[in-house]
Amino acid sequence: MKLACLMLAAATGLAADVRVVEEIIAKVNNEIITRGELERSRRQLEESLRRQGASAAQIQQALEEADRSALRERIDQLLLLQRARDLNINVDSEVSRYLADIQVRNKISEPDKFQEFILQQTGMSYEDFRQQVKDSFLTRRVIQQEVGSKIVIPRSEVEKYYQERKDEFIRDEQVLLREILISTQGKDAAGVAAAEKKAKELVERARQGENFGNLARDNSDAETGRDLGYLGAFKRGDLRKDIEEIVFAQGKGYVTDPIKLDHGFLILKVEERSTAGLQPLEMVENEIMEKLYTPRMEPALRAYLTKLRMDAYLELKPGYVDTGAAPGKDTTWQDPAQLRPETVTKEEVAARTRRKRLLGALPMPGTRISAGAPKISVD
């Protein structure tokens, strides 16, 4: 009796000390989603909005919207990442190029300083940021391969849209420009001369066929460098008079000589040029394709994710809702605590221990023992 009381007291004490370190709220095939994951994503969003200067009301609204879709989006992501593994998709080279581009654009040569920069800008460790980038590339590749590639816009539909909505494509004369800026701020005469020399070399490289966007990304001191030098579209009257006279007199693909500004040397490329009036179909075809593609993409993607849910092993803890749930799919939570434990005798436990030792010493058919390691690996 005393022994039983002591055992009960010990068990009660242990139970009182039990703390939930991380709560599992969903199971998606062989992976889990925890409440902590969603809370961390929420904090990251809040910190990002604060860095962008959002007001308290804007932050609260964004967080409320994110809360409604957080679990659905995390399930979507896990299903797409799992599908990427099934398809053996590899994006390591794209991720490395993306991170290298960020490093080059921000002119950070030392790896340690670049990792500090990532932490300051995102609030995430470099490893976590790299994984987030990789996950993003993988999910986009799956979406494009499995969904986007199957959406076909017939040429006849593009032509029909153009003929029925020609008023949408009546435009003023305009040019679409990219830029490279080589700064001279804070430089002496020798520095200014070096900047001019560099600008002239870049013009020559661009005219010889090098990609202007890449040259802007790798060399421009303007903020647009991170967007491959993209400036946007300009009508007559939007630009400085001397610059306007240059770019509106030239055709698509023209690269200017370096233009001297107070703070540097500017190089412009005419990416597109359109005359006033109704634009020809060839000029606006990509714009129309985008208009027709976008409304098809969202329902097609949602249908694809619903199919992935139907084929998945998916459980949700009570109180949590997947707003993208597949109709009729049973996602009832199976509580491990409700499973009855197997009862065995001391003799059976002793026999199992002896069998385990035997298996560790002798090979079995269909297995091999790695040299120098006691672990058995199954072929």
Side-chain angles (χ1 to χ4, degrees):
M1 181 68 178
K2 287 183 179 179
L3 179 60
C5 290
L6 287 172
M7 291 175 66
L8 177 61
T12 304
L14 287 172
D17 290 338
V18 170
R19 290 180 302 162
V20 176
V21 177
E22 187 66 288
E23 180 185 359
I24 299 173
I25 61 173
K27 305 170 192 174
V28 185
N29 292 320
N30 61 341
E31 297 183 77
I32 62 171
I33 299 172
T34 66
R35 186 172 67 179
E37 286 181 63
L38 301 188
E39 290 173 350
R40 282 191 293 276
S41 295
R42 192 180 197 274
R43 287 196 299 270
Q44 288 172 1
L45 173 60
E46 185 174 4
E47 290 168 5
S48 175
L49 291 170
R50 289 189 193 283
R51 283 195 295 269
Q52 295 170 23
S55 67
Q58 290 172 328
I59 291 173
Q60 184 60 33
Q61 182 180 355
L63 291 177
E64 289 174 0
E65 291 175 0
D67 288 342
R68 286 192 289 271
S69 60
L71 182 56
R72 182 200 72 205
E73 290 180 358
R74 182 57 181 148
I75 293 173
D76 288 349
Q77 184 186 44
L78 276 183
L79 290 169
L80 290 168
L81 291 173
Q82 290 165 4
R83 184 59 180 155
R85 288 195 289 272
D86 292 342
L87 296 170
N88 294 316
I89 293 174
N90 188 305
V91 295
D92 289 343
S93 60
E94 292 99 313
V95 172
S96 295
R97 281 198 301 272
Y98 178 82
L99 294 172
D101 286 347
I102 296 176
Q103 192 168 353
V104 168
R105 285 201 307 267
N106 290 280
K107 299 177 173 60
I108 304 172
S109 58
E110 298 178 26
D112 289 346
K113 290 186 177 179
F114 181 56
Q115 293 185 18
E116 290 174 10
F117 171 80
I118 292 297
L119 181 62
Q120 291 169 359
Q121 295 296 312
T122 66
M124 303 168 63
S125 71
Y126 175 78
E127 292 75 16
D128 287 345
F129 179 72
R130 182 185 178 90
Q131 186 61 52
Q132 188 178 81
V133 170
K134 182 176 181 178
D135 289 349
S136 177
F137 273 85
L138 285 169
T139 54
R140 282 190 295 181
R141 179 80 71 81
V142 172
I143 291 169
Q144 178 55 36
Q145 185 172 317
E146 297 278 278
V147 184
S149 64
K150 296 176 173 59
I151 299 175
V152 178
I153 310 295
R155 171 74 179 184
S156 59
E157 194 169 339
V158 174
E159 293 173 349
K160 183 174 183 291
Y161 186 99
Y162 177 76
Q163 294 297 331
E164 292 177 350
R165 299 172 175 82
K166 285 186 175 180
D167 57 326
E168 290 184 19
F169 308 110
I170 297 174
R171 309 277 168 82
D172 294 329
E173 183 182 14
Q174 63 180 14
V175 288
L176 190 68
L177 300 175
R178 293 185 187 271
E179 70 168 348
I180 297 174
L181 175 68
I182 305 302
S183 176
T184 57
Q185 284 187 327
K187 294 180 180 179
D188 57 16
V192 171
E196 184 175 17
K197 181 175 182 292
K198 181 178 180 180
K200 289 179 178 178
E201 290 172 351
L202 289 171
V203 168
E204 187 63 27
R205 289 168 63 182
R207 288 175 176 174
Q208 288 177 358
E210 284 197 51
N211 185 283
F212 191 91
N214 291 344
L215 289 174
R217 176 196 63 198
D218 298 340
N219 299 278
S220 182
D221 294 313
E223 285 294 320
T224 53
R226 69 184 61 188
D227 296 320
L228 305 181
Y230 183 78
L231 267 179
F234 298 88
K235 298 180 292 186
R236 284 191 179 273
D238 291 342
L239 299 167
R240 212 172 73 178
K241 190 66 176 176
D242 58 332
I243 295 176
E244 179 180 293
E245 289 176 355
I246 295 171
V247 297
F248 276 93
Q250 303 298 331
K252 177 180 177 179
Y254 177 76
V255 177
T256 69
D257 289 325
I259 301 168
K260 182 69 173 72
L261 305 176
D262 292 339
H263 58 286
F265 291 94
L266 177 67
I267 307 165
L268 295 172
K269 180 186 178 184
V270 179
E271 197 72 20
E272 293 285 352
R273 182 170 182 271
S274 57
T275 56
L278 177 63
Q279 303 304 301
L281 176 58
E282 293 72 22
M283 287 290 294
V284 295
E285 185 171 354
N286 289 339
E287 182 181 338
I288 296 173
M289 289 285 285
E290 184 68 23
K291 289 176 181 288
L292 295 173
Y293 177 87
T294 301
R296 287 169 164 81
M297 184 61 182
E298 180 58 32
L301 176 57
R302 199 70 256 162
Y304 178 72
L305 288 165
T306 298
K307 182 180 183 303
L308 291 182
R309 278 170 166 76
M310 288 300 297
D311 296 338
Y313 170 79
L314 184 60
E315 291 183 4
L316 302 181
K317 199 166 187 179
Y320 292 90
V321 177
D322 172 18
T323 56
K329 173 76 173 181
D330 183 8
T331 59
T332 305
W333 182 264
Q334 300 297 322
D335 188 353
Q338 296 177 357
L339 301 178
R340 296 182 61 186
E342 182 183 3
T343 303
V344 295
T345 64
K346 287 191 295 183
E347 290 76 12
E348 287 175 317
V349 172
R352 289 182 181 180
T353 302
R354 286 194 298 274
R355 287 198 294 272
K356 286 180 181 178
R357 289 173 181 168
L358 184 63
L359 290 175
L362 299 175
M364 294 177 62
T367 67
R368 69 172 183 274
I369 302 177
S370 303
K375 183 179 178 181
I376 296 175
S377 57
V378 180
D379 289 319

